[in-house]
């Protein structure tokens, strides 16, 4: 099928990354960004595209989107809620998700380089296709805006003072249950 939208989660590649990560979630529920990046680097079918290619849907983009879906408590697109999926690990069951600055900066730099290469491809390398492979100008512009937004959010994370950044905002509710990003567990 390929891609049907501007985000990595609107592509087969992004959904494959998500599924692969879900299957490999640690049993103790403690996840790190470094683990995610190592998982993709060591996975034969999910290896990193060279950012100089300027590809639209990359494994690192899927990881970046995953960070913010979890951080924002948006588990609907990450976990299956159907009965058949109850046996699968679930992102909403994570007890911790942290990132070191080096991993955040690596991801930010990768996406920045990827965006610059895509823009260069559109402007210089293929004037017959000014949208870097996108069929419609609005998709090309939307993808660039999406990338800029993700890069900006990664930059904001990198500016935080702590060395290890908590990406999972667990909160104790009044009834004693855990709330992750606004979702009661």
């Amino acid at each position: 099928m390929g891609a049907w939208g501007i985000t990595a989660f609107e592509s087969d590649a992004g959904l494959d990354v998500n599924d692969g990560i879900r299957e490999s979630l640690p049993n103790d529920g403690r996840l790190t960004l470094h683990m995610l990046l190592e998982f993709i680097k060591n996975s034969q079918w999910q290896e990193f595209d060279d950012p100089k290619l300027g590809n639209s849907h990359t494994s690192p983009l899927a990881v970046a989107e995953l960070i913010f879906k979890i951080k924002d408590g948006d588990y609907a697109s990450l976990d299956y809620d159907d009965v058949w999926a109850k046996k699968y690990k679930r992102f909403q069951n994570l007890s911790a998700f942290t990132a070191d600055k080096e991993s955040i900066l690596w991801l930010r730099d990768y996406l920045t380089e990827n965006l610059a290469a895509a823009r260069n491809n559109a402007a210089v390398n293929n004037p017959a296709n000014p949208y870097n492979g996108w069929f419609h100008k609005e998709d090309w512009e939307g993808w660039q805006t999406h990338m800029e937004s993700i890069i900006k959010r990664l930059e904001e994370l990198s500016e935080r003072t702590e060395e290890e950044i908590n990406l999972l905002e667990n909160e104790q509710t009044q009834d004693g249950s855990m709330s992750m990003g606004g979702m009661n567990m």
Side-chain angles (χ1 to χ4, degrees), residues 68 71-72 148-157:
F68 295 114
K71 186 160 178 37
D72 298 341
E148 290 167 347
S149 172
I150 294 286
I151 292 166
K152 181 179 182 217
R153 289 189 76 184
L154 288 167
E155 181 66 32
E156 289 168 356
L157 284 176

Side-chain angles (χ1 to χ4, degrees), residues 98-119:
T98 59
D100 61 282
K101 286 198 181 197
E102 182 179 339
S103 295
I104 291 170
L105 291 172
W106 183 90
L107 192 54
R108 181 209 58 193
D109 292 348
Y110 177 98
L111 294 179
T112 300
E113 186 175 359
N114 188 63
L115 176 59
R119 286 176 170 159

